[in-house]
Amino acid sequence: MKQRVITAVCLLAALAVVVWQIDTPVLVIAVAFLSAVASGEIMRCANVQNSFIKIVGIIFSVGVQLFASEKVLEPVVSESVWGNVVNAVPGIVFVIILCIAFLCAMLKGYAYTSFEDVAISVFACVLVPYAFSIIIRLRDMFDNEQFGIYLIFYALICALATDTGAQLMGMAFGKHKMSPNISPKKTVEGAVGGLIFSLVLNAVALTIYNKVAVVPVSQTTATVFLVMCLPVSFMSMMGDLSASVFKRNFSVKDFGKIFPGHGGVMDRMDSSLFTLPITYAIALILF
């Protein structure tokens, strides 16, 4: 418990620095680091042995963050200059090249590299980093940067509040198992408590945002976000369960040990990697 508390304090301190510098490349560095570590954790758990795939995949996961937005490197590199680089080649071209490179590496190292290794590596080094990149995309997608930053916290609150609320309510009132074959400790009562806790915490966050924001959100927009909070939070549970299935399939307890007492990046961010894309989709559709 002492180790968990110390780690949590350190993580909160690091988060405070990132939030303080959220409109600078510090955010990009932090997201790129998390993305690279998460990609490596997944491939390690799946026992991918091909060094070429692991190294190139991790480099690609970092590169995804640099191409998430035209404003990603401001104020070091201007939007107009970096925009020309970002828009020079469609992102799908790089994904295709990476997949071909992985398949060629499989052929060269067929004795110890299976197609399953390639499929898992594409998931780890493409889909997961793109989910992380949404943090940057949300920050930069609106002229009102405050609103984009609020959406980042909206997605993270949906994930973290749901997980925390479900754990507390499950310990206090949990009786009916929600998914005993995947995660025996999760209960229906805990899930309901997690959704309620997420809704309450998002309502508080929205109230605070409207008090400090230069351009507060309208009542209609606020209602939409609070209503959507429930399905987004529910999907955070699906992210947590999906990660549990992955770990069970490969017989590992935690994805990593980078956060002592808390596991790896994927252990902390699995739910957020579901809530971030859904929040991004809501922002694209509605705004």
Side-chain angles (χ1 to χ4, degrees):
M1 179 60 69
K2 181 180 178 181
Q3 183 64 71
R4 287 178 63 87
V5 172
I6 293 174
T7 302
V9 171
C10 293
L11 289 175
L12 288 174
L15 177 62
V17 173
V18 173
V19 172
W20 176 43
Q21 295 292 316
I22 200 167
D23 57 347
T24 73
V26 170
L27 176 67
V28 183
I29 294 171
V31 174
F33 172 76
L34 294 174
S35 177
V37 174
S39 298
E41 287 175 348
I42 294 172
M43 290 188 287
R44 181 190 62 79
C45 288
N47 198 30
V48 175
Q49 299 180 25
N50 193 302
S51 297
F52 175 85
I53 289 178
K54 290 191 289 185
I55 294 172
V56 172
I58 290 175
I59 292 173
F60 186 89
S61 71
V62 172
V64 167
Q65 315 312 320
L66 298 178
F67 287 81
S69 164
E70 296 176 359
K71 298 187 287 187
V72 72
L73 295 179
E74 285 190 333
V76 179
V77 181
S78 68
E79 178 182 353
S80 58
V81 172
W82 191 244
N84 293 330
V85 177
V86 171
N87 297 319
V89 180
I92 189 63
V93 173
F94 295 109
V95 174
I96 292 171
I97 292 173
L98 181 75
C99 291
I100 293 174
F102 280 4
L103 290 170
C104 289
M106 177 188 70
L107 296 177
K108 186 176 185 301
Y110 68 92
Y112 55 89
T113 306
S114 66
F115 182 77
E116 182 184 44
D117 292 337
V118 173
I120 290 173
S121 298
V122 170
F123 169 79
C125 303
V126 177
L127 296 182
V128 169
Y130 268 100
F132 273 107
S133 75
I134 289 173
I135 295 174
I136 301 169
R137 296 171 191 272
L138 285 172
R139 183 197 67 176
D140 295 342
M141 72 182 296
F142 298 101
D143 291 333
N144 178 12
E145 190 178 86
Q146 281 186 325
F147 185 61
I149 294 172
Y150 162 71
L151 289 178
I152 296 173
F153 282 97
Y154 175 82
L156 296 179
I157 289 172
C158 283
L160 299 177
T162 303
D163 183 56
T164 302
Q167 185 175 10
L168 294 176
M169 292 297 290
M171 292 171 59
F173 305 104
K175 293 182 180 180
H176 301 88
K177 302 295 184 183
M178 184 173 71
S179 185
N181 295 327
I182 298 175
S183 186
K185 294 183 179 180
K186 287 183 172 55
T187 64
V188 175
E189 293 82 3
V192 173
L195 293 177
I196 295 174
F197 190 61
S198 176
L199 181 61
V200 171
L201 206 57
N202 267 298
V204 172
L206 186 57
T207 302
I208 294 173
Y209 174 78
N210 272 348
K211 288 186 178 296
V212 301
V214 176
V215 182
V217 299
S218 66
Q219 184 175 351
T220 301
T221 301
T223 302
V224 169
F225 276 121
L226 291 179
V227 170
M228 291 305 298
C229 170
L230 294 177
V232 174
S233 297
F234 175 78
M235 289 309 299
S236 78
M237 298 181 193
M238 299 302 102
D240 190 28
L241 288 173
S242 297
S244 296
V245 169
F246 186 97
K247 288 187 284 189
R248 281 183 174 272
N249 286 345
F250 292 100
S251 302
V252 295
K253 181 181 179 182
D254 295 316
F255 279 101
K257 299 179 180 179
I258 191 169
F259 303 134
H262 292 264
V265 171
M266 282 299 297
D267 293 297
R268 295 297 90 201
M269 298 293 292
D270 50 8
S271 300
S272 300
L273 296 184
F274 272 56
T275 60
L276 283 164
I278 297 172
T279 300
Y280 185 58
I282 292 172
L284 286 174
I285 293 169
L286 297 182
F287 305 106

